[in-house]
Amino acid sequence: QTLTPGQHDVVVFAVLAAAFALLAHTLHSWRSASEVGVRYRPAVVAALCIGAVATVSYALVHHAVDTGFTLVDGVYEPGEPARSSLFTRYVDWSVTVPLLTVELLAVCALAGARARRVRASTMAAAFLMVVTGFVGSQVVAEGRSTGALVGWGLVSTAFFGYLYVALVGAVRGSRGSMSAESFASLRNAAVVLLSTFGVYPLVYAVPVFVDVTPSWFVGMQVAYSAADVVAKVGFGVLVFKVAKLRTAEDL
Amino acid sequence: QTLTPGQHDVVVFAVLAAAFALLAHTLHSWRSASEVGVRYRPAVVAALCIGAVATVSYALVHHAVDTGFTLVDGVYEPGEPARSSLFTRYVDWSVTVPLLTVELLAVCALAGARARRVRASTMAAAFLMVVTGFVGSQVVAEGRSTGALVGWGLVSTAFFGYLYVALVGAVRGSRGSMSAESFASLRNAAVVLLSTFGVYPLVYAVPVFVDVTPSWFVGMQVAYSAADVVAKVGFGVLVFKVAKLRTAEDL
Ligand SMILES: CC1=C(/C=C/C(C)=C/C=C/C(C)=C/C=O)C(C)(C)CCC1
Ligand SMILES: CC1=C(/C=C/C(C)=C/C=C/C(C)=C/C=O)C(C)(C)CCC1
């Protein structure tokens, strides 16, 4: 789609602001990891890895938007690199969503074999959810086949359902093992993560229902960027708080 | 606008010098964070994040100025990338101004729920102030509509007013909880930050009152670069001093 300069600037703003916020989150996680006890350290290290991967991914998306559109007669014409402004995001998620489940589980109170099983199965479900969504939205007919979008979207949603139920169960099951204050923060973190999860399938479904006009394209880019910042930075800050509270309680 | 080679060089100097100063500030914050107590560490970690984001942002502005002008017949003709020499700055501020309020509040003496509330509301106000300014100066009619500049500028100024009052209140309220020496430094830091805040709306308002000639363009770039260095590096050095003094007092 051709974009007006204003629309183009909104997309660049959203993508670059997300990259900057993720860079800040990466440095914060790096510098502050030593403030939490060794037991909860994996949560902060996961946040660090998520931040770094997503920062690089957003740098690539920024490059795609920057070089993918050329200003001709006052409007921005899309070129070939513009495609990867959407699909690079799936690559990011295929690594970061499994790590987000690690981050959440590392401050829950599951132990031993049960913890390992839940972690392995949620990581696998998260990965398969993203990969099957990628097949529907990009690989089959470049995402222009409604049948493929719906079919692969449903497969992806099945993994999503499993993931959702397993994470809610892990958080619920942690109630008895920590102070009310820690549990309240853990609950907030889980609510933030799981509610942003709802944004992604909605944006995925946009082309099923409407013709993707330039305004829809802008809306999709802004929604994905905002959701990524909330799910990675906002959630990360709340998990850090749980880790610090639980560290203080363990002394 | 076409720039003379002299004007072009002044802009490149200002932008690159700011990038270098911010890089130095980033490294200083990284290496010296451990010199302040854990209680004030968030101030230095915020400075680190601000420095890193702004360094990257200035590298992008430098690239925009460098590739955005071509020397033809002894004058520099602007091309399409020259546009982002102004708007990349707004992206930077949307992340760094909220972090500057975190940095200041981390060395004030607010506690508990009150501190969290002030922090969340000033971060939101700072973000909205920058985003609404961005809409007026870039998105609507590429900033050439005086009505949009004034209208969105006023919305932005409302957030600015809230931010200003909340930060002054937080600094004033800290007087009783620290030594006179620490408070004097905190006051200096706040005066430096809040007086540079005045530069940005003035530069924003330039196109409302005058035709942006090449000399005005140069002046805007130099003013923004100088103000950014004072607000990030100068302010950061003063906050670091407060953090060290208060660390010594806490022992
Ligand atoms: C259910 C579903 C999806 C879910 C995606 C989710 C839940 C992604 C979460 C990403 C996050 C949290 C990124 C973090 O930064 C897809 C793949 C869009 C395909 C359509 C069906
Ligand atoms: C009031 C006002 C503005 C204020 C901007 C400020 C106060 C920016 C501060 C930036 C800083 C401190 C950067 C640090 O490096 C805008 C957005 C220009 C729009 C017009 C109205």
Side-chain angles (χ1 to χ4, degrees):
Chain A
Q1 300 84 15
T2 57
L3 301 179
T4 66
Q7 288 174 325
H8 177 264
D9 291 358
V10 169
V11 173
V12 175
F13 189 104
V15 168
L16 200 53
F20 287 167
L22 289 158
L23 173 60
H25 181 55
T26 307
L27 294 169
H28 173 263
S29 304
W30 180 288
R31 267 317 278 185
S32 310
S34 54
E35 287 172 32
V36 309
V38 177
R39 203 162 147 203
Y40 310 109
R41 201 69 59 79
V44 187
V45 175
L48 166 64
C49 299
I50 291 163
V53 168
T55 304
V56 175
S57 165
Y58 268 90
L60 294 174
V61 173
H62 176 254
H63 183 72
V65 176
D66 203 39
T67 59
F69 290 89
T70 17
L71 193 57
V72 181
D73 294 335
V75 292
Y76 278 95
E77 303 273 4
E80 188 251 313
R83 287 189 64 220
S84 52
S85 66
L86 281 174
F87 95 63
T88 304
R89 296 172 179 279
Y90 283 86
V91 189
D92 167 346
W93 303 337
S94 75
V95 174
T96 55
V97 185
L99 287 173
L100 284 167
T101 81
V102 171
E103 185 177 354
L104 180 62
L105 293 172
V107 290
C108 287
L110 301 181
R114 168 116 194 277
R116 283 196 294 278
R117 216 180 48 238
V118 172
R119 195 171 56 212
S121 69
T122 53
M123 287 181 80
F127 178 76
L128 293 169
M129 171 183 86
V130 174
V131 169
T132 52
F134 175 70
V135 173
S137 89
Q138 297 287 337
V139 179
V140 183
E142 293 185 54
R144 284 199 211 93
S145 145
T146 307
L149 273 171
V150 173
W152 286 101
L154 290 175
V155 177
S156 176
T157 305
F159 291 116
F160 179 71
Y162 172 80
L163 180 62
Y164 196 93
V165 171
L167 293 180
V168 169
V171 172
R172 287 245 169 90
S174 307
R175 170 164 245 150
S177 328
M178 58 184 86
S179 75
E181 198 190 357
S182 302
F183 184 73
S185 295
L186 173 60
R187 218 168 155 270
N188 285 343
V191 167
V192 165
L193 183 66
L194 294 175
S195 39
T196 59
F197 271 28
V199 173
Y200 299 86
L202 289 179
V203 179
Y204 174 93
V206 164
V208 176
F209 296 107
V210 303
D211 201 37
V212 180
T213 57
S215 316
W216 277 107
F217 175 80
V218 173
M220 288 165 75
Q221 294 285 353
V222 172
Y224 275 150
S225 306
D228 274 6
V229 170
V230 174
K232 290 175 172 128
V233 182
F235 167 73
V237 168
L238 290 167
V239 166
F240 187 71
K241 192 174 162 207
V242 180
K244 285 202 65 159
L245 286 171
R246 295 196 66 193
T247 300
E249 281 160 21
D250 286 354
L251 293 180
Chain B
Q1 301 83 13
T2 57
L3 301 179
T4 66
Q7 288 174 324
H8 177 266
D9 291 358
V10 170
V11 174
V12 174
F13 189 103
V15 168
L16 201 51
F20 288 168
L22 289 158
L23 174 61
H25 180 56
T26 308
L27 294 170
H28 173 261
S29 304
W30 180 283
R31 270 315 279 180
S32 312
S34 53
E35 288 171 30
V36 308
V38 176
R39 205 163 145 202
Y40 310 108
R41 200 70 59 79
V44 187
V45 175
L48 164 65
C49 296
I50 291 163
V53 167
T55 304
V56 175
S57 166
Y58 268 91
L60 294 174
V61 173
H62 177 257
H63 183 73
V65 175
D66 202 39
T67 60
F69 291 89
T70 17
L71 192 58
V72 181
D73 293 335
V75 291
Y76 277 94
E77 302 271 6
E80 187 251 314
R83 291 188 63 220
S84 51
S85 66
L86 280 174
F87 95 63
T88 303
R89 296 173 178 278
Y90 283 85
V91 190
D92 167 345
W93 303 337
S94 76
V95 174
T96 54
V97 185
L99 287 173
L100 284 166
T101 82
V102 171
E103 185 177 354
L104 179 62
L105 293 172
V107 291
C108 286
L110 301 182
R114 167 114 195 277
R116 281 197 295 279
R117 217 180 45 238
V118 173
R119 194 170 57 210
S121 69
T122 52
M123 287 180 81
F127 179 76
L128 291 170
M129 171 184 86
V130 174
V131 169
T132 51
F134 174 71
V135 172
S137 88
Q138 297 287 334
V139 177
V140 183
E142 293 185 55
R144 282 196 214 98
S145 144
T146 307
L149 272 171
V150 172
W152 286 100
L154 289 177
V155 177
S156 177
T157 305
F159 292 114
F160 179 71
Y162 173 79
L163 180 63
Y164 196 93
V165 170
L167 293 181
V168 169
V171 172
R172 287 245 170 90
S174 306
R175 171 165 244 150
S177 328
M178 58 184 85
S179 74
E181 196 189 359
S182 302
F183 184 72
S185 295
L186 173 59
R187 220 167 155 272
N188 286 342
V191 167
V192 166
L193 183 66
L194 294 175
S195 40
T196 59
F197 271 27
V199 173
Y200 299 86
L202 290 179
V203 179
Y204 173 94
V206 165
V208 176
F209 297 107
V210 303
D211 200 39
V212 181
T213 57
S215 317
W216 277 107
F217 176 81
V218 174
M220 289 165 74
Q221 294 286 353
V222 172
Y224 275 150
S225 306
D228 273 6
V229 171
V230 174
K232 290 175 172 128
V233 183
F235 167 72
V237 169
L238 291 166
V239 166
F240 187 71
K241 190 174 162 209
V242 180
K244 286 202 66 158
L245 287 170
R246 295 196 67 192
T247 301
E249 283 161 21
D250 285 353
L251 291 180

